[in-house]
Amino acid sequence: MQQVKEVAVIDGVRTPFIRSNGAFENLASHDLGRLATQGLLKKSGIARDLIEQVVMGTVISDPKAPNMAREVLLGNSLPPVASAFTVSMACISSNIAVGLAFDQMSLSRYKVAISGGAETLSDFPIRHSKKIRKALIKLQKAKGPVDYLNEVKKLSIKDLIPDVPSVTEFSTGLTMGASCERLAKRIGVTREEADQFSLSSHQRASQAWEAGEYEGEVCSISLAPEFKTIERDNGPRGDSSLESMAKLSTSFDRNFGQITAANSSFLSDGGAAVLLMEKEYAAEQGFLAKAIIKDYITAGTEPLDDLLLGPSLAITKLLEKNHLCIKDIGVWEIHEAFASQMVANLKVMDSKTLSKNIFNIDAIGEIPMDQLNIFGGSLALGHPFGATGARLVMTAASRLAKSGSRYSVVSGCAAGGHGLAMLLENPNM
Amino acid sequence: MTTPDHTILKIEVIDEIAIIRINNPGEKVNTLNETFLNEIESSMEFVNKAPEVKGAVFISTKENCFMAGADVKILQDADTIEKGEEIPRRGQRAFQSIEDCKKPVVAAIHGVCLGGGVEMALGCHYLIATDHPKTVLACPEILLGLFPAGGAPQRLPPRVGIQKALDLMLTGRNIRSKQAKKIGMIDQVVSHWGLQETSMSVCKKLISGELEHKNKTSSTAEKLLEGNPAGRAILFNQARAMIKKKTRGLYPAPFALINAVETGINKGKPAGYEREIKEFGVLTQSTQAKSLISLFFGNTNLKKNSRGKPEKKDSTLAVIGAGQMGAGIGLVSLLKGKEVILKDVNNEGLGRGKKVIWDELNRRCKKRAINSFERDRLMAKLGAQTDLKQFDRVDFVIEAVFEDIDLKHKVIAQLEEVCAEDCIIATNTSAIPIAEVASKAARPENIVGMHYFSPVNKMPLLEVIGHEKNSEQAIARAVQMGLDQGKTVIVVKDSPGFYTTRVLAALMDESILLLQEGIDFKKLDNLMKDFGFPVGPVTLFDEVGIDTAAHISDFLSQRIGSKLRNVKDPILNKLSEKGLYGRKSKKGFFLYEDRPTGLASKMFKPKGKEINPEALEIIQQYSLKNSSTCTDNEIIQMRLAYRFINEALRCMDEGVLLSPVDGDIGAVLGLGFPPMLGGPFHYIDSIGHAHFKKNMAMLEDKFGERFEVSPILNDHLERGKLFHPEVDEGA
């Protein structure tokens, strides 16, 4: 059997994450992926012809560019002989994109890859109704006006109502917010806890920006025709307060809910890309590794009641498999879909009874808040679905390189009932 | 203040709110009894008096059960009108104490909430119920020949309007929380997670005045009809007319309910409550209620596996033959979580079977009982094949091929070759003895009979037939399969026609004789409907299929001989030769037209069925008009019913039936014997065995030896025995 290769995270760059229908509203997902990759190429200084593979994640596939990764590759003038593929796993799409690139590289399929993801939530495909679509397809074969009329006759005004992509879970019909409300009640998360968590995320993100923590990680963008420079995420609101957050009305459960605009991640546009290299090859080429990818695990959960608890299951399994405990991890990056979901996951992982009752696993304990998402998370930075996972990986890698810790865990939850957890190791330890 | 010392309603005060937890100790479900009612009152007294308590919440600690209603045994013990009146009087007082509580009381409903549970909740000031699929509300008292008399007739109409209140209480149907909220029966739908916290926050809001119960505003149509005395008078009259038409006046309870609602609305609540008590008291002593309660207990008993829980769990079921019956069996199994394989000789047959299943699942989907994802998930558990590949992993096979003994032998031989040694092979037949079906089998111990009724998803009965060589486990597994499919299961001894087919054949035999004597088809149907059967015998022939009936009648007349008429019935065979099969061929005794669809169905109302002149002609060829023309309606009803009942007695005598309860349940659930008579055994217990014997003697004298009374009755008369000892003779 061939030797399994070690894979290093060399660098990562993302575009600013911008609230949807803002400055990036005219960009497609592949544009955002291309911009992030452009930033990565520039920052890392890697020669284009070294890139052998591009793996990208996205949630809402653009029908014009379904293999978005290929357009990113070609759009950045990467070698056409290199190949590219796009994956989708809801909000952990770019986590699994990085994971798959890691898998292939450890099997020596290639030595250098760019992985990441991008999403625009300003512009998603809204389709004609099924009847109109059927008619339009038949009309392509219409011979003469009689055929044409016959098809058109079958349609009614009602058929003009467009088919907007559903925001509900396909199997259960519940919105993610409604699922999270159920989860909060089940685990016993209070509105105060959720607001406090969200406030802290916003404050941390603002402070991180002030302290220059995101310098280098976020590339500045200027777009035609005005070419105004966009340098920063526009999500973080460091000046908000618990009092102002408490005033907001709830979005999903009017009477007994706790989820508001202020304690949920919001729709955003953005792209993110990380440079992965076989560890030995990186050393040969003179690249410094920020982190080594040790392992990752995916876990499925029951979509009605456990939809957003994927991280609890995945993280616990990952630690168990690698014989690690919570103390061994110094850097945590977990995707914040909703503050209530984060608090619920933290409670489940810390509670023997909950861990046992829900997943029949042992609780791992309390994740220290001063190690978790210390530069803010999706609640403050925003959540362009396909880009978030790669953002977590690059932030974790940077934090790990600067910290004295040996391990980092990156995790996230996803629609459909999924969790993914990835283990990174500090190459200097 | 210390909380009262209770056994069922334990009170804990948290944050100024009394959490009253409902928990009948040692029981699976909560039921209303004397202690419960006393504790409701003392709880309310505590809530009123304790200065530190500002409000209260009723919540259950049982899994998926708020309250299953009153303990039905209490009804059995009430043997006089006065004792019957005491039941609602006591309940009303307790529920009134909730309503009269000076502090807000919330009902936090999760799981089933039935009968008295609904009435107790209606006494509360604010009702919340969870969106969990197990949460259903219903007032099913009407199904026991009674009506909700603990205040619901007074409290429900202001919440949901008179028409919807009547509908809920007259049908006893289940209603889910979302629908209940929509019509105003409850105030809020909430998640079952954190129900206690939610109910406390509701209670706090009620205390602070942020929230209050508001009756749903009625629609304009409702206002027009219900908002004035004249409109209401029309409404109540129409309701009574409709009930009369539907029940043919055989059931008093619906009228009692309408009286109670009407009195409350016209004369005020106190008069309404009093009317509830009076009407309920009388109903408790009615034969209808006694019969229905007896059936309730019988049915409850038969929902448990009489042969004990089998050692093996059967999760994969194969059905041979994808016709109506096979597809129906597949459907009920799929719905209850089984993995199902349909097998038929060709893809066309399989396609028809799949369509039957899909149509029903899709209907549920359109009714929003399930979502389209759930429908597709169920369809994905349905396999369809024309061969027997992979049958070695099947736990249980039911063959539903044509009722032909050679075909059944062939199918069983093929199955035994591929199936695992412990696989049960059940044969779905309505008449052929199982010992004969199993006679050539390599493993006869695994061959059992399962007699399903069509349409399988609507008919609640399953008759399981064991034969002498069966293993005890095989029968236990067959019973369990039926229970898993949601059926009420009776186990009978192997013999031609078993129980249900045999008694039905007796009734059908007498019907043909009556037709030969010249009685009008429709008149005969109507007479039996007046007696309480859901359909008349002539229509029943058309529904069952005249060819099938001819087949069974020939078979049984050979096997049972003199008890039925000992001649091959010429009429059924003649009809069937001419292709008059009944509804399936669009002509039988009656003519059937395709139901118009779309716009046409709105423009043309369907006409009543018309008699098929062809059928009439055949009957007239075999006319018996001159022998003994029977014109007395009561005698006609008696001839039909008594042949039915006497055949049931013979089944008991010969040991085909193991208990009179099986006989009663089988007749009511399988054959539509009038439920308000409680089944053949309950019925003759209540009219008196001597009375029955005397009538039989009269019929035998007039119409011949087929009315010879079963020997078991003589035996009973000698020993003064009853079939159901708890029923008072002559009551």
Side-chain angles (χ1 to χ4, degrees):
Chain A
M1 209 181 110
Q2 63 179 336
Q3 201 198 332
V4 170
K5 297 290 191 334
E6 284 202 296
V7 178
V9 179
I10 304 299
D11 217 335
V13 170
R14 64 177 174 92
T15 68
F17 286 179
I18 300 298
R19 288 175 185 266
S20 291
N21 304 102
F24 289 168
E25 67 176 347
N26 293 324
L27 299 181
S29 295
H30 60 89
D31 292 326
L32 290 158
R34 189 186 63 239
L35 289 166
T37 305
Q38 189 186 340
L40 178 66
L41 292 168
K42 189 177 161 213
K43 185 188 171 201
S44 64
I46 191 165
R48 280 186 161 79
D49 54 11
L50 285 185
I51 311 293
E52 297 168 89
Q53 183 74 275
V54 176
V55 186
M56 288 274 162
T58 196
V59 176
I60 302 166
S61 174
D62 183 343
K64 286 197 168 172
N67 186 2
M68 180 262 271
R70 184 65 180 166
E71 313 316 326
V72 168
L73 180 153
L74 296 172
N76 270 308
S77 307
L78 294 173
V81 289
S83 62
F85 66 95
T86 306
V87 293
S88 184
M89 201 175 179
C91 300
I92 51 177
S93 292
S94 56
N95 303 66
I96 195 67
V98 172
L100 289 174
F102 156 69
D103 287 342
Q104 296 193 321
M105 291 169 81
S106 57
L107 294 174
S108 308
R109 303 257 185 268
Y110 39 86
K111 291 191 176 74
V112 184
I114 288 174
S115 182
E119 200 85 37
T120 173
L121 292 165
S122 297
D123 177 21
F124 39 83
I126 297 171
R127 299 190 295 180
H128 278 301
S129 69
K130 176 82 187 162
K131 280 194 171 171
I132 299 256
R133 271 158 31 220
K134 256 163 82 178
L136 285 173
I137 288 167
K138 283 195 178 157
L139 284 179
Q140 293 182 336
K141 294 173 195 152
K143 292 181 189 122
V146 179
D147 275 13
Y148 199 89
L149 259 173
N150 278 339
E151 279 307 321
V152 174
K153 256 190 347 205
K154 290 180 197 158
L155 300 173
S156 71
I157 293 283
K158 208 171 63 185
D159 299 329
L160 289 172
I161 300 170
D163 183 357
V164 181
S166 169
V167 290
T168 58
E169 188 65 24
F170 187 71
S171 65
T172 63
L174 279 186
T175 62
M176 191 145 298
S179 281
C180 191
E181 287 287 7
R182 288 168 62 93
L183 180 66
K185 292 187 181 79
R186 177 187 187 188
I187 307 296
V189 180
T190 64
R191 166 92 183 252
E192 291 68 36
E193 285 174 308
D195 281 352
Q196 179 58 57
F197 192 97
S198 184
L199 180 67
S200 153
S201 184
H202 277 275
Q203 286 170 343
R204 287 173 168 196
S206 299
Q207 282 158 14
W209 270 109
E210 294 313 316
E213 300 289 355
Y214 282 121
E215 230 155 78
E217 193 173 315
V218 177
C219 57
S220 71
I221 304 283
S222 61
L223 298 169
E226 303 292 337
F227 293 97
K228 276 189 193 156
T229 306
I230 302 155
E231 288 184 294
R232 276 198 178 197
D233 303 316
N234 68 354
R237 287 181 175 158
D239 56 348
S240 66
S241 67
L242 278 181
E243 293 71 42
S244 60
M245 287 168 87
K247 279 184 199 140
L248 286 178
S249 60
T250 52
S251 316
F252 297 97
D253 180 348
R254 231 172 353 125
N255 297 302
F256 313 112
Q258 57 177 254
I259 297 178
T260 67
N263 60 28
S264 326
S265 62
F266 45 89
L267 300 183
S268 340
D269 307 332
V274 292
L275 178 61
L276 304 178
M277 283 175 99
E278 196 178 273
K279 189 185 159 196
E280 285 167 23
Y281 185 70
E284 281 168 31
Q285 297 288 322
F287 285 96
L288 277 180
K290 282 188 171 174
I292 306 298
I293 302 177
K294 293 301 283 183
D295 195 8
Y296 76 96
I297 206 163
T298 52
T301 59
E302 198 281 319
L304 181 64
D305 285 327
D306 307 336
L307 184 76
L308 299 165
L309 286 179
S312 297
L313 185 58
I315 290 172
T316 308
K317 282 185 160 181
L318 180 76
L319 293 190
E320 191 187 74
K321 186 181 162 208
N322 288 280
H323 311 291
L324 295 171
C325 65
I326 221 157
K327 285 198 200 83
D328 299 320
I329 315 298
V331 172
W332 293 88
E333 282 291 333
I334 305 179
H335 162 53
E336 303 164 347
F338 298 95
S340 314
Q341 163 260 336
M342 282 301 286
V343 177
N345 272 289
L346 294 175
K347 285 192 178 192
V348 169
M349 286 186 274
D350 193 23
S351 155
K352 279 188 182 143
T353 342
L354 290 172
S355 288
K356 198 96 214 152
N357 288 349
I358 300 172
F359 293 123
N360 198 22
I361 50 175
D362 291 325
I364 55 168
E366 190 183 355
I367 296 178
M369 278 304 288
D370 59 0
Q371 294 174 1
L372 171 67
N373 301 354
I374 58 167
F375 299 150
S378 301
L379 290 168
L381 301 171
H383 176 36
F385 301 159
T388 293
R391 173 184 70 76
L392 295 172
V393 171
M394 70 180 72
T395 304
S398 306
R399 282 179 58 196
L400 199 57
K402 284 183 215 160
S403 78
S405 307
R406 182 162 178 196
Y407 290 112
S408 166
V409 168
V410 172
S411 187
C413 56
H418 272 136
L420 184 148
M422 182 174 270
L423 182 66
L424 304 179
E425 190 183 18
N426 190 334
N428 308 315
M429 296 286 289
Chain B
M1 223 175 121
T2 51
T3 53
D5 187 23
H6 283 169
T7 55
I8 297 175
L9 300 180
K10 303 262 193 221
I11 304 179
E12 185 188 355
V13 179
I14 307 173
D15 273 0
E16 303 189 317
I17 292 172
I19 309 291
I20 308 171
R21 297 199 178 90
I22 312 170
N23 185 13
N24 287 54
E27 306 279 332
K28 236 175 126 182
V29 296
N30 293 320
T31 50
L32 213 49
N33 55 29
E34 186 57 29
T35 318
F36 197 128
L37 293 165
N38 288 336
E39 292 185 1
I40 290 179
E41 287 174 333
S42 53
S43 299
M44 289 303 110
E45 200 186 326
F46 166 76
V47 172
N48 271 326
K49 282 193 185 153
E52 72 275 19
V53 174
K54 301 279 188 279
V57 167
F58 279 104
I59 191 167
S60 164
T61 61
K62 300 278 191 224
E63 198 187 349
N64 301 335
C65 175
F66 180 74
M67 207 217 290
D71 186 346
V72 184
K73 287 198 189 80
I74 299 173
L75 293 167
Q76 260 189 337
D77 297 340
D79 51 8
T80 62
I81 290 185
E82 290 68 35
K83 284 187 196 164
E85 288 179 349
E86 208 38 52
I87 298 169
R89 189 173 287 130
R90 185 68 197 85
Q92 286 179 5
R93 205 176 75 201
F95 305 149
Q96 193 60 40
S97 78
I98 306 176
E99 189 177 304
D100 291 343
C101 183
K102 292 194 261 344
K103 300 167 185 172
V105 184
V106 176
I109 301 164
H110 170 67
V112 291
C113 176
L114 305 175
V118 170
E119 297 196 283
M120 175 182 140
L122 286 172
C124 298
H125 305 122
Y126 204 84
L127 281 69
I128 60 175
T130 69
D131 57 5
H132 194 272
K134 289 269 156 66
T135 299
V136 286
L137 295 94
C139 303
E141 290 89 342
I142 205 85
L143 305 174
L144 296 179
L146 302 166
F147 72 95
Q154 315 310 319
R155 292 196 180 100
L156 207 45
R159 274 188 170 259
V160 305
I162 300 170
Q163 293 168 80
K164 291 200 186 90
L166 285 179
D167 168 53
L168 287 173
M169 293 187 284
L170 285 172
T171 59
R173 70 186 167 92
N174 284 345
I175 177 163
R176 294 193 186 287
S177 44
K178 220 169 160 189
Q179 191 63 22
K181 160 84 172 79
K182 203 173 156 199
I183 63 171
M185 188 174 178
I186 61 166
D187 297 284
Q188 294 277 359
V189 182
V190 299
S191 164
H192 72 286
W193 297 115
L195 179 60
Q196 182 179 312
E197 287 70 27
T198 309
S199 62
M200 284 173 69
S201 98
V202 167
C203 198
K204 283 176 194 162
K205 284 183 183 172
L206 290 168
I207 295 164
S208 70
E210 248 180 281
L211 202 66
E212 59 173 342
H213 161 73
K214 280 194 199 105
N215 282 334
K216 203 176 138 277
T217 46
S218 40
S219 68
T220 320
E222 277 172 345
K223 272 184 205 151
L224 277 175
L225 199 58
E226 298 179 9
N228 62 83
R232 287 195 296 267
I234 294 172
L235 194 161
F236 286 119
N237 280 338
Q238 275 184 343
R240 287 194 178 94
M242 186 199 77
I243 293 294
K244 194 154 187 211
K245 201 175 153 203
K246 274 202 169 160
T247 65
R248 297 179 170 249
L250 295 168
Y251 293 86
F255 298 104
L257 169 73
I258 297 173
N259 292 342
V261 173
E262 190 181 32
T263 307
I265 280 166
N266 291 342
K267 298 187 180 155
K269 268 188 172 182
Y273 287 129
E274 204 42 46
R275 188 76 189 251
E276 287 178 28
I277 291 168
K278 291 285 170 225
E279 297 276 4
F280 191 90
V282 174
L283 284 180
T284 57
Q285 304 311 308
S286 67
T287 55
Q288 288 89 342
K290 289 193 170 182
S291 301
L292 292 168
I293 288 168
S294 150
L295 286 172
F296 170 83
F297 281 115
N299 202 21
T300 309
N301 262 332
L302 291 172
K303 285 280 178 194
K304 292 180 217 121
N305 193 332
S306 54
R307 304 300 170 111
K309 211 165 179 65
E311 287 150 24
K312 189 172 185 299
K313 197 170 173 281
D314 295 315
S315 46
T316 307
L317 170 78
V319 184
I320 314 295
Q324 278 292 333
M325 190 59 95
I329 296 169
L331 171 68
V332 295
S333 313
L334 269 182
L335 285 170
K336 302 288 176 175
K338 306 269 178 205
E339 190 158 341
V340 177
I341 300 170
L342 281 185
K343 195 248 167 221
D344 209 313
V345 286
N346 55 36
N347 284 329
E348 287 70 36
L350 288 173
R352 277 192 296 272
K354 282 204 257 185
K355 184 169 163 46
V356 169
I357 294 175
W358 196 84
D359 282 349
E360 174 59 21
L361 294 180
N362 201 37
R363 194 185 64 83
R364 286 169 190 240
C365 186
K366 281 187 176 154
K367 267 176 54 193
R368 301 192 182 212
I370 54 174
N371 66 19
S372 60
F373 190 85
E374 191 54 31
R375 175 199 65 198
D376 296 346
R377 175 145 68 179
L378 288 171
M379 280 307 279
K381 286 183 100 175
L382 175 69
Q385 57 193 62
T386 52
D387 53 30
L388 296 177
K389 275 183 196 150
Q390 305 267 342
F391 263 53
D392 54 331
R393 59 172 197 93
V394 168
D395 300 312
F396 202 108
V397 184
I398 300 173
E399 66 79 11
V401 299
F402 187 67
E403 300 231 7
D404 176 277
I405 186 81
D406 295 331
L407 180 60
K408 287 194 187 270
H409 281 157
K410 201 178 109 192
V411 168
I412 288 172
Q414 286 170 346
L415 284 169
E416 284 194 317
E417 213 165 282
V418 290
C419 291
E421 292 225 339
D422 65 346
C423 177
I424 300 297
I425 301 176
T427 181
N428 174 64
T429 170
S430 56
I432 309 175
I434 309 307
E436 289 177 32
V437 177
S439 63
K440 293 187 179 166
R443 296 185 290 274
E445 68 274 15
N446 287 346
I447 313 279
V448 292
M450 290 173 89
H451 177 200
Y452 287 90
F453 294 77
S454 191
V456 183
N457 64 323
K458 294 220 175 88
M459 297 293 284
L461 188 73
L462 169 69
E463 197 176 19
V464 166
I465 308 104
H467 64 104
E468 283 187 346
K469 287 185 184 159
N470 269 137
S471 67
E472 194 49 33
Q473 273 298 305
I475 299 179
R477 282 167 67 183
V479 172
Q480 194 59 44
M481 179 56 70
L483 293 173
D484 288 354
Q485 291 164 335
K487 301 292 164 207
T488 299
V489 185
I490 62 171
V491 180
V492 302
K493 203 183 81 175
D494 191 24
S495 67
F498 322 124
Y499 167 60
T500 51
T501 308
R502 192 166 147 188
V503 290
L504 185 65
L507 178 137
M508 299 301 240
D509 183 59
E510 197 64 24
S511 312
I512 295 286
L513 276 171
L514 280 159
L515 293 180
Q516 284 176 279
E517 288 170 26
I519 187 170
D520 179 71
F521 294 3
K522 285 187 183 170
K523 184 180 171 192
L524 186 59
D525 270 0
N526 279 327
L527 282 173
M528 280 327 270
K529 287 209 276 200
D530 289 341
F531 187 75
F533 275 89
V535 289
V538 190
T539 303
L540 190 58
F541 272 118
D542 280 359
E543 295 293 337
V544 169
I546 291 171
D547 51 337
T548 313
H551 190 75
I552 291 170
S553 156
D554 289 351
F555 178 81
L556 286 184
S557 60
Q558 285 162 25
R559 300 300 185 96
I560 309 180
S562 64
K563 305 298 192 291
L564 292 174
R565 279 182 303 154
N566 199 9
V567 280
K568 256 193 150 187
D569 180 53
I571 294 175
L572 291 175
N573 281 308
K574 194 97 182 184
L575 288 163
S576 130
E577 272 162 34
K578 292 220 168 179
L580 312 182
Y581 300 145
R583 184 182 284 281
K584 60 184 165 190
S585 68
K586 296 198 179 104
K587 47 188 183 172
F589 286 105
F590 297 105
L591 294 171
Y592 299 88
E593 284 168 33
D594 280 331
R595 286 207 191 107
T597 52
L599 191 60
S601 70
K602 284 172 195 147
M603 288 169 70
F604 306 103
K605 287 224 164 132
K607 294 176 285 187
K609 284 181 298 207
E610 274 183 47
I611 292 170
N612 182 4
E614 259 187 288
L616 193 60
E617 203 186 297
I618 293 172
I619 295 280
Q620 278 161 355
Q621 281 169 20
Y622 294 92
S623 171
L624 296 172
K625 228 169 197 169
N626 304 325
S627 60
S628 56
T629 308
C630 190
T631 50
D632 184 338
N633 287 349
E634 226 173 288
I635 296 286
I636 294 171
Q637 286 175 329
M638 204 186 272
R639 277 174 64 178
L640 289 166
Y642 276 38
R643 289 266 332 253
F644 184 110
I645 295 165
N646 199 40
E647 204 60 38
L649 293 177
R650 285 200 183 113
C651 287
M652 194 71 221
D653 190 39
E654 293 169 22
V656 174
L657 279 173
L658 301 179
S659 93
V661 174
D662 291 352
D664 283 343
I665 295 287
V668 172
L669 297 188
L671 306 171
F673 188 87
M676 88 289 176
L677 302 179
F681 296 96
H682 184 94
Y683 177 60
I684 65 167
D685 273 359
S686 63
I687 61 168
H689 293 193
H691 180 75
F692 181 76
K693 194 185 167 185
K694 198 182 81 199
N695 283 340
M696 282 297 278
M698 178 271 287
L699 291 170
E700 189 179 357
D701 188 41
K702 261 191 169 167
F703 302 105
E705 64 163 1
R706 63 181 191 277
F707 286 97
E708 184 192 340
V709 75
S710 162
I712 195 171
L713 206 68
N714 292 325
D715 182 47
H716 269 218
L717 277 169
E718 268 168 39
R719 296 201 254 153
K721 230 172 107 184
L722 287 176
F723 290 109
H724 298 284
E726 72 275 16
V727 177
D728 294 335
E729 200 163 347

